[in-house]
């Protein structure tokens, strides 16, 4: 998996979640806490999600073939979308079901110290996992870019998924600690059920946010505004063309951007000179935006008045907000 895939963050999250899930199941068996069961299912779902992200990263590396001439890079988006569905169904809906069940059929919680100890240890372990995800994200996060913007506009789905999972896991652990702690203090098992409902609602919110962002990537997003500006500058900075008539960009995968443009040349320029000019422009574009690996330039004769609109306004495809 490429650096942008955050393989280290995924592995760290997987190892943490597997250990935490086992401890939570043991605590649930001993105490009977619904919040602990919801958190155990949450950790199992997260562990499965990390395996799916790793699998998607491996499958995306397959070479292009006749059936998929642009390669398999978008498989990473498919697996990230599956992760959001799992979080919604296995994590969120199950937790809400369990919370409602415990409200209608209250169940006494015993041995409070066991789930509380497990939850405190889990918070520490999840904090380490989140720290790893933050470090890995900082390698690819733009300078001055906010975390909300990074999650919304990142073309590599793995790091935003792990970040949201880890943040959701920490908040969920706090909810579970609230439910078990208040049940211990008041003796009312309703708080344990309430903690479970809060965990389920949190997971559904995270799943919907992930689903919206990965759907946009699956449909197809163009380059960011900054990258489009760099590409346009690389094309127009040289003396080769009269005008950039129009340009479109599309991410074929997190690390592979396709650039297609129509370039207006002088009508009297020989074909060999046009080909040499295109080669130089391609070199400048790849130097400006290294992810621009697939480039198609269509040479044309520019006729003033045929296309009065500036290329950066009407004809440049921008990334989805």
């Amino acid at each position: 998996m490429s650096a942008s895939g955050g393989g280290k963050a995924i592995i760290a999250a997987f190892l943490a979640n597997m250990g935490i899930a086992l401890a939570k199941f043991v605590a649930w068996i001993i105490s009977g806490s619904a919040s602990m069961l919801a958190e155990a299912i949450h950790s199992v779902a997260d562990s499965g999600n990390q395996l799916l992200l790793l699998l998607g990263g491996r499958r995306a590396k397959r070479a292009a073939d006749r059936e998929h001439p642009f390669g398999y890079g978008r498989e990473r988006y498919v697996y990230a979308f599956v992760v959001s569905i799992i979080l919604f169904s296995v994590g969120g809906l199950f937790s809400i079901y369990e919370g409602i069940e415990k409200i209608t059929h209250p169940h006494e919680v015993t041995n409070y110290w066991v789930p509380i100890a497990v939850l405190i240890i889990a918070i520490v372990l999840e904090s380490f996992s989140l720290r790893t995800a933050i470090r890995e994200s900082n390698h690819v996060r733009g300078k001055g870019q906010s975390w909300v913007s990074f999650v919304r506009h990142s073309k590599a789905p793995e790091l935003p998924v792990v970040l949201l999972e880890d943040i959701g896991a920490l908040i969920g652990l706090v909810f579970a600690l609230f439910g078990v702690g208040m049940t211990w203090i008041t003796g009312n098992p309703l708080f344990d059920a309430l903690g479970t409902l809060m965990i389920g609602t949190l997971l559904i919110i995270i799943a919907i946010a992930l689903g919206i962002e990965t759907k946009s990537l699956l449909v197809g997003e163009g380059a960011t505004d900054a990258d489009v500006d760099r590409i346009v500058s690389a094309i127009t900075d040289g003396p080769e063309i009269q005008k950039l008539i129009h340009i479109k960009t599309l991410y074929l995968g997190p690390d592979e951007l396709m650039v297609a443009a129509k370039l207006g040349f002088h009508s009297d320029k020989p074909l060999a000179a046009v080909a040499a000019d295109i080669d130089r422009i391609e070199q400048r574009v790849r130097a400006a935006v290294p992810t621009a690996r697939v480039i198609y330039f269509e040479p044309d004769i520019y006729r003033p008045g045929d296309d009065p609109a500036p290329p950066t306004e009407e004809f440049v495809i921008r990334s989805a907000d």
Side-chain angles (χ1 to χ4, degrees), residues 45-54 76-91 157-158 161-162 165 203 206-208 210-211 214:
D46 282 353
S47 300
N49 290 341
Q50 273 100 49
L51 289 178
L52 284 173
L53 292 176
L54 289 172
R76 286 165 67 178
Y77 301 151
V78 174
Y79 281 87
F81 190 74
V82 172
V83 163
S84 67
I85 295 173
I86 291 175
L87 272 179
F88 182 89
S89 57
V90 178
E158 293 87 355
V161 169
V162 173
E165 279 189 350
L203 290 177
I206 292 175
I208 291 174
L210 282 176
T214 51

PDB file of all heavy atoms in Angstrom, residues 45-54 76-91 157-158 161-162 165 203 206-208 210-211 214:
ATOM      1  N   ALA A  45     -16.465  -4.986  14.539  1.00  0.00           N
ATOM      2  CA  ALA A  45     -16.749  -4.358  13.249  1.00  0.00           C
ATOM      3  C   ALA A  45     -15.563  -3.533  12.768  1.00  0.00           C
ATOM      4  O   ALA A  45     -15.184  -3.579  11.586  1.00  0.00           O
ATOM      5  CB  ALA A  45     -17.997  -3.475  13.358  1.00  0.00           C
ATOM      6  N   ASP A  46     -14.938  -2.780  13.687  1.00  0.00           N
ATOM      7  CA  ASP A  46     -13.768  -1.981  13.309  1.00  0.00           C
ATOM      8  C   ASP A  46     -12.615  -2.867  12.847  1.00  0.00           C
ATOM      9  O   ASP A  46     -11.913  -2.547  11.885  1.00  0.00           O
ATOM     10  CB  ASP A  46     -13.317  -1.125  14.502  1.00  0.00           C
ATOM     11  CG  ASP A  46     -14.201   0.097  14.694  1.00  0.00           C
ATOM     12  OD1 ASP A  46     -15.071   0.338  13.835  1.00  0.00           O
ATOM     13  OD2 ASP A  46     -14.035   0.800  15.705  1.00  0.00           O
ATOM     14  N   SER A  47     -12.410  -4.008  13.541  1.00  0.00           N
ATOM     15  CA  SER A  47     -11.333  -4.926  13.139  1.00  0.00           C
ATOM     16  C   SER A  47     -11.574  -5.472  11.738  1.00  0.00           C
ATOM     17  O   SER A  47     -10.652  -5.531  10.916  1.00  0.00           O
ATOM     18  CB  SER A  47     -11.228  -6.085  14.143  1.00  0.00           C
ATOM     19  OG  SER A  47     -10.953  -5.614  15.449  1.00  0.00           O
ATOM     20  N   GLY A  48     -12.822  -5.858  11.462  1.00  0.00           N
ATOM     21  CA  GLY A  48     -13.151  -6.327  10.122  1.00  0.00           C
ATOM     22  C   GLY A  48     -12.964  -5.242   9.079  1.00  0.00           C
ATOM     23  O   GLY A  48     -12.504  -5.501   7.958  1.00  0.00           O
ATOM     24  N   ASN A  49     -13.284  -4.016   9.474  1.00  0.00           N
ATOM     25  CA  ASN A  49     -13.119  -2.896   8.542  1.00  0.00           C
ATOM     26  C   ASN A  49     -11.661  -2.684   8.173  1.00  0.00           C
ATOM     27  O   ASN A  49     -11.327  -2.408   7.015  1.00  0.00           O
ATOM     28  CB  ASN A  49     -13.687  -1.613   9.161  1.00  0.00           C
ATOM     29  CG  ASN A  49     -15.199  -1.648   9.258  1.00  0.00           C
ATOM     30  OD1 ASN A  49     -15.849  -2.430   8.577  1.00  0.00           O
ATOM     31  ND2 ASN A  49     -15.763  -0.827  10.115  1.00  0.00           N
ATOM     32  N   GLN A  50     -10.760  -2.793   9.164  1.00  0.00           N
ATOM     33  CA  GLN A  50      -9.344  -2.614   8.866  1.00  0.00           C
ATOM     34  C   GLN A  50      -8.828  -3.705   7.918  1.00  0.00           C
ATOM     35  O   GLN A  50      -8.015  -3.433   7.031  1.00  0.00           O
ATOM     36  CB  GLN A  50      -8.526  -2.600  10.148  1.00  0.00           C
ATOM     37  CG  GLN A  50      -8.411  -1.227  10.798  1.00  0.00           C
ATOM     38  CD  GLN A  50      -9.363  -1.041  11.950  1.00  0.00           C
ATOM     39  OE1 GLN A  50      -9.446  -1.891  12.829  1.00  0.00           O
ATOM     40  NE2 GLN A  50     -10.087   0.063  11.968  1.00  0.00           N
ATOM     41  N   LEU A  51      -9.325  -4.930   8.086  1.00  0.00           N
ATOM     42  CA  LEU A  51      -8.942  -5.994   7.160  1.00  0.00           C
ATOM     43  C   LEU A  51      -9.437  -5.691   5.747  1.00  0.00           C
ATOM     44  O   LEU A  51      -8.728  -5.937   4.755  1.00  0.00           O
ATOM     45  CB  LEU A  51      -9.502  -7.338   7.641  1.00  0.00           C
ATOM     46  CG  LEU A  51      -8.852  -7.946   8.887  1.00  0.00           C
ATOM     47  CD1 LEU A  51      -9.558  -9.243   9.267  1.00  0.00           C
ATOM     48  CD2 LEU A  51      -7.370  -8.201   8.649  1.00  0.00           C
ATOM     49  N   LEU A  52     -10.650  -5.150   5.645  1.00  0.00           N
ATOM     50  CA  LEU A  52     -11.182  -4.786   4.331  1.00  0.00           C
ATOM     51  C   LEU A  52     -10.352  -3.681   3.678  1.00  0.00           C
ATOM     52  O   LEU A  52     -10.095  -3.717   2.469  1.00  0.00           O
ATOM     53  CB  LEU A  52     -12.641  -4.333   4.465  1.00  0.00           C
ATOM     54  CG  LEU A  52     -13.681  -5.436   4.664  1.00  0.00           C
ATOM     55  CD1 LEU A  52     -15.043  -4.817   4.949  1.00  0.00           C
ATOM     56  CD2 LEU A  52     -13.767  -6.330   3.439  1.00  0.00           C
ATOM     57  N   LEU A  53      -9.920  -2.704   4.465  1.00  0.00           N
ATOM     58  CA  LEU A  53      -9.097  -1.630   3.912  1.00  0.00           C
ATOM     59  C   LEU A  53      -7.758  -2.155   3.415  1.00  0.00           C
ATOM     60  O   LEU A  53      -7.264  -1.745   2.353  1.00  0.00           O
ATOM     61  CB  LEU A  53      -8.880  -0.542   4.971  1.00  0.00           C
ATOM     62  CG  LEU A  53     -10.110   0.268   5.387  1.00  0.00           C
ATOM     63  CD1 LEU A  53      -9.752   1.231   6.515  1.00  0.00           C
ATOM     64  CD2 LEU A  53     -10.684   1.032   4.208  1.00  0.00           C
ATOM     65  N   LEU A  54      -7.165  -3.070   4.175  1.00  0.00           N
ATOM     66  CA  LEU A  54      -5.900  -3.676   3.736  1.00  0.00           C
ATOM     67  C   LEU A  54      -6.109  -4.490   2.463  1.00  0.00           C
ATOM     68  O   LEU A  54      -5.281  -4.443   1.544  1.00  0.00           O
ATOM     69  CB  LEU A  54      -5.331  -4.555   4.848  1.00  0.00           C
ATOM     70  CG  LEU A  54      -4.774  -3.822   6.082  1.00  0.00           C
ATOM     71  CD1 LEU A  54      -4.437  -4.817   7.179  1.00  0.00           C
ATOM     72  CD2 LEU A  54      -3.540  -3.008   5.703  1.00  0.00           C
ATOM     73  N   ARG A  76     -10.045   0.712  -3.868  1.00  0.00           N
ATOM     74  CA  ARG A  76      -9.892   1.245  -2.515  1.00  0.00           C
ATOM     75  C   ARG A  76     -11.126   2.022  -2.098  1.00  0.00           C
ATOM     76  O   ARG A  76     -11.524   2.022  -0.922  1.00  0.00           O
ATOM     77  CB  ARG A  76      -8.638   2.118  -2.440  1.00  0.00           C
ATOM     78  CG  ARG A  76      -7.355   1.297  -2.448  1.00  0.00           C
ATOM     79  CD  ARG A  76      -6.132   2.136  -2.736  1.00  0.00           C
ATOM     80  NE  ARG A  76      -5.840   3.084  -1.670  1.00  0.00           N
ATOM     81  CZ  ARG A  76      -4.771   3.891  -1.702  1.00  0.00           C
ATOM     82  NH1 ARG A  76      -3.943   3.848  -2.717  1.00  0.00           N
ATOM     83  NH2 ARG A  76      -4.556   4.732  -0.709  1.00  0.00           N
ATOM     84  N   TYR A  77     -11.780   2.703  -3.035  1.00  0.00           N
ATOM     85  CA  TYR A  77     -13.009   3.423  -2.728  1.00  0.00           C
ATOM     86  C   TYR A  77     -14.157   2.450  -2.455  1.00  0.00           C
ATOM     87  O   TYR A  77     -14.994   2.685  -1.586  1.00  0.00           O
ATOM     88  CB  TYR A  77     -13.390   4.344  -3.889  1.00  0.00           C
ATOM     89  CG  TYR A  77     -12.344   5.373  -4.249  1.00  0.00           C
ATOM     90  CD1 TYR A  77     -12.232   5.852  -5.547  1.00  0.00           C
ATOM     91  CD2 TYR A  77     -11.476   5.876  -3.291  1.00  0.00           C
ATOM     92  CE1 TYR A  77     -11.284   6.812  -5.880  1.00  0.00           C
ATOM     93  CE2 TYR A  77     -10.521   6.826  -3.612  1.00  0.00           C
ATOM     94  CZ  TYR A  77     -10.431   7.291  -4.906  1.00  0.00           C
ATOM     95  OH  TYR A  77      -9.499   8.235  -5.233  1.00  0.00           O
ATOM     96  N   VAL A  78     -14.193   1.355  -3.225  1.00  0.00           N
ATOM     97  CA  VAL A  78     -15.259   0.365  -3.043  1.00  0.00           C
ATOM     98  C   VAL A  78     -15.197  -0.227  -1.644  1.00  0.00           C
ATOM     99  O   VAL A  78     -16.223  -0.312  -0.935  1.00  0.00           O
ATOM    100  CB  VAL A  78     -15.147  -0.754  -4.102  1.00  0.00           C
ATOM    101  CG1 VAL A  78     -16.166  -1.856  -3.817  1.00  0.00           C
ATOM    102  CG2 VAL A  78     -15.355  -0.193  -5.503  1.00  0.00           C
ATOM    103  N   TYR A  79     -14.005  -0.635  -1.212  1.00  0.00           N
ATOM    104  CA  TYR A  79     -13.885  -1.247   0.106  1.00  0.00           C
ATOM    105  C   TYR A  79     -14.150  -0.250   1.218  1.00  0.00           C
ATOM    106  O   TYR A  79     -14.700  -0.609   2.266  1.00  0.00           O
ATOM    107  CB  TYR A  79     -12.497  -1.879   0.259  1.00  0.00           C
ATOM    108  CG  TYR A  79     -12.389  -3.217  -0.439  1.00  0.00           C
ATOM    109  CD1 TYR A  79     -12.046  -3.301  -1.784  1.00  0.00           C
ATOM    110  CD2 TYR A  79     -12.670  -4.389   0.241  1.00  0.00           C
ATOM    111  CE1 TYR A  79     -11.966  -4.522  -2.427  1.00  0.00           C
ATOM    112  CE2 TYR A  79     -12.595  -5.619  -0.391  1.00  0.00           C
ATOM    113  CZ  TYR A  79     -12.248  -5.685  -1.731  1.00  0.00           C
ATOM    114  OH  TYR A  79     -12.182  -6.903  -2.364  1.00  0.00           O
ATOM    115  N   ALA A  80     -13.777   1.018   1.014  1.00  0.00           N
ATOM    116  CA  ALA A  80     -14.087   2.036   2.017  1.00  0.00           C
ATOM    117  C   ALA A  80     -15.596   2.236   2.131  1.00  0.00           C
ATOM    118  O   ALA A  80     -16.128   2.457   3.229  1.00  0.00           O
ATOM    119  CB  ALA A  80     -13.404   3.356   1.656  1.00  0.00           C
ATOM    120  N   PHE A  81     -16.308   2.142   1.009  1.00  0.00           N
ATOM    121  CA  PHE A  81     -17.766   2.270   1.042  1.00  0.00           C
ATOM    122  C   PHE A  81     -18.400   1.083   1.776  1.00  0.00           C
ATOM    123  O   PHE A  81     -19.348   1.255   2.544  1.00  0.00           O
ATOM    124  CB  PHE A  81     -18.318   2.368  -0.383  1.00  0.00           C
ATOM    125  CG  PHE A  81     -19.769   2.739  -0.449  1.00  0.00           C
ATOM    126  CD1 PHE A  81     -20.186   4.030  -0.189  1.00  0.00           C
ATOM    127  CD2 PHE A  81     -20.729   1.795  -0.760  1.00  0.00           C
ATOM    128  CE1 PHE A  81     -21.530   4.379  -0.240  1.00  0.00           C
ATOM    129  CE2 PHE A  81     -22.075   2.125  -0.814  1.00  0.00           C
ATOM    130  CZ  PHE A  81     -22.472   3.425  -0.548  1.00  0.00           C
ATOM    131  N   VAL A  82     -17.847  -0.112   1.550  1.00  0.00           N
ATOM    132  CA  VAL A  82     -18.335  -1.297   2.267  1.00  0.00           C
ATOM    133  C   VAL A  82     -18.135  -1.119   3.766  1.00  0.00           C
ATOM    134  O   VAL A  82     -18.988  -1.504   4.583  1.00  0.00           O
ATOM    135  CB  VAL A  82     -17.619  -2.563   1.764  1.00  0.00           C
ATOM    136  CG1 VAL A  82     -17.974  -3.762   2.633  1.00  0.00           C
ATOM    137  CG2 VAL A  82     -17.993  -2.841   0.310  1.00  0.00           C
ATOM    138  N   VAL A  83     -17.011  -0.521   4.158  1.00  0.00           N
ATOM    139  CA  VAL A  83     -16.737  -0.269   5.573  1.00  0.00           C
ATOM    140  C   VAL A  83     -17.833   0.608   6.177  1.00  0.00           C
ATOM    141  O   VAL A  83     -18.303   0.354   7.295  1.00  0.00           O
ATOM    142  CB  VAL A  83     -15.353   0.399   5.729  1.00  0.00           C
ATOM    143  CG1 VAL A  83     -15.213   1.043   7.115  1.00  0.00           C
ATOM    144  CG2 VAL A  83     -14.249  -0.623   5.526  1.00  0.00           C
ATOM    145  N   SER A  84     -18.248   1.642   5.456  1.00  0.00           N
ATOM    146  CA  SER A  84     -19.294   2.523   5.990  1.00  0.00           C
ATOM    147  C   SER A  84     -20.603   1.766   6.177  1.00  0.00           C
ATOM    148  O   SER A  84     -21.338   2.008   7.146  1.00  0.00           O
ATOM    149  CB  SER A  84     -19.497   3.722   5.059  1.00  0.00           C
ATOM    150  OG  SER A  84     -20.048   3.330   3.815  1.00  0.00           O
ATOM    151  N   ILE A  85     -20.904   0.835   5.267  1.00  0.00           N
ATOM    152  CA  ILE A  85     -22.127   0.035   5.397  1.00  0.00           C
ATOM    153  C   ILE A  85     -22.050  -0.875   6.617  1.00  0.00           C
ATOM    154  O   ILE A  85     -23.030  -1.037   7.368  1.00  0.00           O
ATOM    155  CB  ILE A  85     -22.361  -0.789   4.118  1.00  0.00           C
ATOM    156  CG1 ILE A  85     -22.624   0.150   2.926  1.00  0.00           C
ATOM    157  CG2 ILE A  85     -23.536  -1.754   4.296  1.00  0.00           C
ATOM    158  CD1 ILE A  85     -22.707  -0.562   1.600  1.00  0.00           C
ATOM    159  N   ILE A  86     -20.884  -1.475   6.839  1.00  0.00           N
ATOM    160  CA  ILE A  86     -20.711  -2.366   8.001  1.00  0.00           C
ATOM    161  C   ILE A  86     -20.869  -1.582   9.297  1.00  0.00           C
ATOM    162  O   ILE A  86     -21.514  -2.034  10.246  1.00  0.00           O
ATOM    163  CB  ILE A  86     -19.341  -3.064   7.941  1.00  0.00           C
ATOM    164  CG1 ILE A  86     -19.317  -4.064   6.781  1.00  0.00           C
ATOM    165  CG2 ILE A  86     -19.031  -3.774   9.255  1.00  0.00           C
ATOM    166  CD1 ILE A  86     -17.978  -4.717   6.571  1.00  0.00           C
ATOM    167  N   LEU A  87     -20.257  -0.388   9.361  1.00  0.00           N
ATOM    168  CA  LEU A  87     -20.398   0.438  10.557  1.00  0.00           C
ATOM    169  C   LEU A  87     -21.859   0.766  10.827  1.00  0.00           C
ATOM    170  O   LEU A  87     -22.320   0.748  11.965  1.00  0.00           O
ATOM    171  CB  LEU A  87     -19.603   1.732  10.394  1.00  0.00           C
ATOM    172  CG  LEU A  87     -18.136   1.747  10.805  1.00  0.00           C
ATOM    173  CD1 LEU A  87     -17.527   3.105  10.531  1.00  0.00           C
ATOM    174  CD2 LEU A  87     -17.974   1.374  12.264  1.00  0.00           C
ATOM    175  N   PHE A  88     -22.608   1.062   9.759  1.00  0.00           N
ATOM    176  CA  PHE A  88     -24.020   1.440   9.908  1.00  0.00           C
ATOM    177  C   PHE A  88     -24.849   0.260  10.402  1.00  0.00           C
ATOM    178  O   PHE A  88     -25.646   0.401  11.336  1.00  0.00           O
ATOM    179  CB  PHE A  88     -24.554   1.934   8.563  1.00  0.00           C
ATOM    180  CG  PHE A  88     -25.990   2.395   8.614  1.00  0.00           C
ATOM    181  CD1 PHE A  88     -26.279   3.712   8.926  1.00  0.00           C
ATOM    182  CD2 PHE A  88     -27.035   1.537   8.346  1.00  0.00           C
ATOM    183  CE1 PHE A  88     -27.594   4.150   8.974  1.00  0.00           C
ATOM    184  CE2 PHE A  88     -28.341   1.962   8.394  1.00  0.00           C
ATOM    185  CZ  PHE A  88     -28.630   3.276   8.707  1.00  0.00           C
ATOM    186  N   SER A  89     -24.659  -0.913   9.771  1.00  0.00           N
ATOM    187  CA  SER A  89     -25.516  -2.059  10.063  1.00  0.00           C
ATOM    188  C   SER A  89     -25.044  -2.836  11.284  1.00  0.00           C
ATOM    189  O   SER A  89     -25.737  -2.912  12.305  1.00  0.00           O
ATOM    190  CB  SER A  89     -25.594  -2.979   8.840  1.00  0.00           C
ATOM    191  OG  SER A  89     -24.298  -3.391   8.452  1.00  0.00           O
ATOM    192  N   VAL A  90     -23.848  -3.410  11.193  1.00  0.00           N
ATOM    193  CA  VAL A  90     -23.344  -4.263  12.277  1.00  0.00           C
ATOM    194  C   VAL A  90     -23.115  -3.457  13.544  1.00  0.00           C
ATOM    195  O   VAL A  90     -23.446  -3.899  14.647  1.00  0.00           O
ATOM    196  CB  VAL A  90     -22.035  -4.971  11.848  1.00  0.00           C
ATOM    197  CG1 VAL A  90     -21.479  -5.811  12.986  1.00  0.00           C
ATOM    198  CG2 VAL A  90     -22.287  -5.835  10.621  1.00  0.00           C
ATOM    199  N   GLY A  91     -22.515  -2.261  13.409  1.00  0.00           N
ATOM    200  CA  GLY A  91     -22.215  -1.473  14.593  1.00  0.00           C
ATOM    201  C   GLY A  91     -23.393  -0.672  15.100  1.00  0.00           C
ATOM    202  O   GLY A  91     -23.883  -0.891  16.212  1.00  0.00           O
ATOM    203  N   PRO A 157      -8.889   6.992   0.781  1.00  0.00           N
ATOM    204  CA  PRO A 157      -9.979   6.834   1.748  1.00  0.00           C
ATOM    205  C   PRO A 157      -9.569   6.223   3.079  1.00  0.00           C
ATOM    206  O   PRO A 157     -10.271   6.388   4.073  1.00  0.00           O
ATOM    207  CB  PRO A 157     -10.955   5.911   1.015  1.00  0.00           C
ATOM    208  CG  PRO A 157     -10.080   5.083   0.117  1.00  0.00           C
ATOM    209  CD  PRO A 157      -8.965   6.004  -0.321  1.00  0.00           C
ATOM    210  N   GLU A 158      -8.431   5.506   3.117  1.00  0.00           N
ATOM    211  CA  GLU A 158      -8.108   4.732   4.313  1.00  0.00           C
ATOM    212  C   GLU A 158      -7.874   5.597   5.544  1.00  0.00           C
ATOM    213  O   GLU A 158      -8.403   5.316   6.637  1.00  0.00           O
ATOM    214  CB  GLU A 158      -6.874   3.845   4.061  1.00  0.00           C
ATOM    215  CG  GLU A 158      -7.097   2.735   3.063  1.00  0.00           C
ATOM    216  CD  GLU A 158      -6.857   3.173   1.629  1.00  0.00           C
ATOM    217  OE1 GLU A 158      -6.596   4.385   1.391  1.00  0.00           O
ATOM    218  OE2 GLU A 158      -6.933   2.322   0.734  1.00  0.00           O
ATOM    219  N   VAL A 161     -11.016   7.111   7.034  1.00  0.00           N
ATOM    220  CA  VAL A 161     -11.812   6.051   7.656  1.00  0.00           C
ATOM    221  C   VAL A 161     -11.244   5.689   9.020  1.00  0.00           C
ATOM    222  O   VAL A 161     -11.974   5.608  10.017  1.00  0.00           O
ATOM    223  CB  VAL A 161     -11.864   4.806   6.743  1.00  0.00           C
ATOM    224  CG1 VAL A 161     -12.453   3.618   7.510  1.00  0.00           C
ATOM    225  CG2 VAL A 161     -12.702   5.083   5.510  1.00  0.00           C
ATOM    226  N   VAL A 162      -9.925   5.472   9.089  1.00  0.00           N
ATOM    227  CA  VAL A 162      -9.300   5.102  10.360  1.00  0.00           C
ATOM    228  C   VAL A 162      -9.424   6.234  11.375  1.00  0.00           C
ATOM    229  O   VAL A 162      -9.692   5.997  12.560  1.00  0.00           O
ATOM    230  CB  VAL A 162      -7.821   4.714  10.143  1.00  0.00           C
ATOM    231  CG1 VAL A 162      -7.124   4.487  11.481  1.00  0.00           C
ATOM    232  CG2 VAL A 162      -7.727   3.453   9.295  1.00  0.00           C
ATOM    233  N   GLU A 165     -12.995   6.270  12.603  1.00  0.00           N
ATOM    234  CA  GLU A 165     -13.225   5.080  13.440  1.00  0.00           C
ATOM    235  C   GLU A 165     -12.607   5.265  14.812  1.00  0.00           C
ATOM    236  O   GLU A 165     -13.230   4.943  15.836  1.00  0.00           O
ATOM    237  CB  GLU A 165     -12.648   3.841  12.763  1.00  0.00           C
ATOM    238  CG  GLU A 165     -13.541   3.241  11.683  1.00  0.00           C
ATOM    239  CD  GLU A 165     -13.013   1.904  11.207  1.00  0.00           C
ATOM    240  OE1 GLU A 165     -11.883   1.549  11.570  1.00  0.00           O
ATOM    241  OE2 GLU A 165     -13.742   1.219  10.477  1.00  0.00           O
ATOM    242  N   LEU A 203     -22.286   5.693  15.901  1.00  0.00           N
ATOM    243  CA  LEU A 203     -21.788   4.878  14.791  1.00  0.00           C
ATOM    244  C   LEU A 203     -22.565   5.151  13.508  1.00  0.00           C
ATOM    245  O   LEU A 203     -21.986   5.183  12.414  1.00  0.00           O
ATOM    246  CB  LEU A 203     -21.884   3.396  15.157  1.00  0.00           C
ATOM    247  CG  LEU A 203     -20.911   2.909  16.239  1.00  0.00           C
ATOM    248  CD1 LEU A 203     -21.165   1.451  16.561  1.00  0.00           C
ATOM    249  CD2 LEU A 203     -19.475   3.107  15.796  1.00  0.00           C
ATOM    250  N   ILE A 206     -21.332   8.466  12.010  1.00  0.00           N
ATOM    251  CA  ILE A 206     -20.024   8.298  11.367  1.00  0.00           C
ATOM    252  C   ILE A 206     -20.166   7.534  10.059  1.00  0.00           C
ATOM    253  O   ILE A 206     -19.549   7.880   9.039  1.00  0.00           O
ATOM    254  CB  ILE A 206     -19.050   7.576  12.318  1.00  0.00           C
ATOM    255  CG1 ILE A 206     -18.709   8.476  13.508  1.00  0.00           C
ATOM    256  CG2 ILE A 206     -17.773   7.159  11.583  1.00  0.00           C
ATOM    257  CD1 ILE A 206     -17.847   7.812  14.552  1.00  0.00           C
ATOM    258  N   ALA A 207     -20.996   6.491  10.064  1.00  0.00           N
ATOM    259  CA  ALA A 207     -21.195   5.685   8.855  1.00  0.00           C
ATOM    260  C   ALA A 207     -21.794   6.515   7.728  1.00  0.00           C
ATOM    261  O   ALA A 207     -21.391   6.387   6.561  1.00  0.00           O
ATOM    262  CB  ALA A 207     -22.086   4.491   9.171  1.00  0.00           C
ATOM    263  N   ILE A 208     -22.766   7.357   8.050  1.00  0.00           N
ATOM    264  CA  ILE A 208     -23.382   8.204   7.019  1.00  0.00           C
ATOM    265  C   ILE A 208     -22.357   9.182   6.447  1.00  0.00           C
ATOM    266  O   ILE A 208     -22.282   9.388   5.223  1.00  0.00           O
ATOM    267  CB  ILE A 208     -24.588   8.954   7.608  1.00  0.00           C
ATOM    268  CG1 ILE A 208     -25.729   7.958   7.906  1.00  0.00           C
ATOM    269  CG2 ILE A 208     -25.080  10.035   6.651  1.00  0.00           C
ATOM    270  CD1 ILE A 208     -26.907   8.569   8.632  1.00  0.00           C
ATOM    271  N   LEU A 210     -19.077   8.820   6.335  1.00  0.00           N
ATOM    272  CA  LEU A 210     -18.154   8.055   5.490  1.00  0.00           C
ATOM    273  C   LEU A 210     -18.800   7.667   4.168  1.00  0.00           C
ATOM    274  O   LEU A 210     -18.167   7.739   3.103  1.00  0.00           O
ATOM    275  CB  LEU A 210     -17.695   6.789   6.227  1.00  0.00           C
ATOM    276  CG  LEU A 210     -16.616   6.949   7.287  1.00  0.00           C
ATOM    277  CD1 LEU A 210     -16.362   5.612   7.968  1.00  0.00           C
ATOM    278  CD2 LEU A 210     -15.328   7.478   6.671  1.00  0.00           C
ATOM    279  N   GLY A 211     -20.061   7.254   4.229  1.00  0.00           N
ATOM    280  CA  GLY A 211     -20.760   6.840   3.012  1.00  0.00           C
ATOM    281  C   GLY A 211     -20.873   7.966   2.007  1.00  0.00           C
ATOM    282  O   GLY A 211     -20.678   7.772   0.806  1.00  0.00           O
ATOM    283  N   THR A 214     -17.228   8.642   0.482  1.00  0.00           N
ATOM    284  CA  THR A 214     -16.737   7.594  -0.409  1.00  0.00           C
ATOM    285  C   THR A 214     -17.627   7.461  -1.647  1.00  0.00           C
ATOM    286  O   THR A 214     -17.138   7.089  -2.715  1.00  0.00           O
ATOM    287  CB  THR A 214     -16.647   6.244   0.327  1.00  0.00           C
ATOM    288  OG1 THR A 214     -17.892   5.962   0.990  1.00  0.00           O
ATOM    289  CG2 THR A 214     -15.543   6.260   1.350  1.00  0.00           C
TER     290      THR A 214
END
